[in-house]
Amino acid sequence: SVLNLFGYTGAASLAAAAFGAEVCHIDSSSSALTQGKSNQAKSGLSDAPIRWLKDDVITFLEKEIRRKSTYDCIIMDPPAFGRGPDGETFNIKNDLEKLIALAARVLSKDPVFLILNQYPKNIDGETCEELLRNKFKTMQLSKHTLEITEKDSKRRLNCATAFILVPLKK
């Protein structure tokens, strides 16, 4: 089971569904969800088990904790700032620690992975890494940086970092 938080138009949800996962896709944007459902049909995955839910991510996670729901895989691609469907606000600088703590509580006891995407203009990578290492001590963390190279200067620019956590090998 895969939980895709801040799922946007569904690329990660569709990839997971294509590999047979049951997916719960959360985004607060009606237009993103509409596009995601359209992408599902265009991808030939109309029958794939994807729940497209319009909700605030923090509110959704709190509800899932009360329901005792868990997921084997969690993907998080948080924006710098966002609004939930009922006016809730998400600010990565203020809310990232809470997001990670809540995600830890819905990650199954036998997890497959957790991914957090980070963008340098939103929050620094060291903060993300420290929060993840402190919360997921029984998981191995790897970092994968997406860079582009400027044509003229050949300078490499960090565009994003994916933090991937997997269970420690036994």
Side-chain angles (χ1 to χ4, degrees):
S1 58
V2 174
L3 176 60
N4 187 3
L5 301 172
F6 309 100
Y8 306 103
T9 58
S13 294
L14 295 173
F19 281 94
E22 291 182 12
V23 180
C24 184
H25 176 105
I26 309 299
D27 202 279
S28 63
S29 166
S30 295
S31 61
L33 293 169
T34 298
Q35 186 62 55
K37 291 173 190 176
S38 173
N39 292 341
Q40 181 179 10
K42 290 175 185 174
S43 300
L45 295 168
S46 294
D47 295 332
I50 302 175
R51 292 182 348 185
W52 301 93
L53 301 176
K54 181 178 178 179
D55 208 341
D56 172 71
V57 165
I58 299 294
T59 302
F60 176 80
L61 288 169
E62 290 169 340
K63 288 188 275 190
E64 290 295 84
I65 290 165
R66 286 192 298 274
R67 292 180 190 124
K68 298 184 180 358
S69 298
T70 60
Y71 298 87
D72 301 313
C73 310
I74 298 177
I75 302 165
M76 300 184 287
D77 193 4
F81 181 84
R83 290 208 182 274
D86 296 322
E88 307 92 341
T89 59
F90 178 86
N91 180 314
I92 196 162
K93 289 186 168 103
N94 299 331
D95 297 323
L96 181 61
E97 186 170 6
K98 182 175 186 175
L99 172 67
I100 290 170
L102 293 171
R105 293 182 62 190
V106 299
L107 190 62
S108 72
K109 299 288 183 220
D110 231 356
V112 177
F113 67 78
L114 181 139
I115 297 173
L116 171 69
N117 292 323
Q118 172 266 333
Y119 306 93
K121 68 177 186 156
N122 295 354
I123 195 164
D124 68 274
E126 293 77 24
T127 298
C128 292
E129 184 173 355
E130 181 181 339
L131 290 170
L132 290 166
R133 285 194 191 281
N134 287 339
K135 187 50 73 177
F136 297 99
K137 294 181 190 298
T138 63
M139 296 183 81
Q140 177 180 332
L141 183 142
S142 62
K143 297 188 307 189
H144 306 273
T145 303
L146 172 66
E147 296 178 334
I148 59 171
T149 304
E150 285 184 327
K151 274 186 186 178
D152 299 333
S153 71
K154 302 293 183 204
R155 184 173 53 163
R156 295 171 62 131
L157 305 172
N158 178 350
C159 297
T161 302
F163 295 91
I164 301 174
L165 293 109
V166 296
L168 291 170
K169 293 179 181 165
K170 296 177 182 179

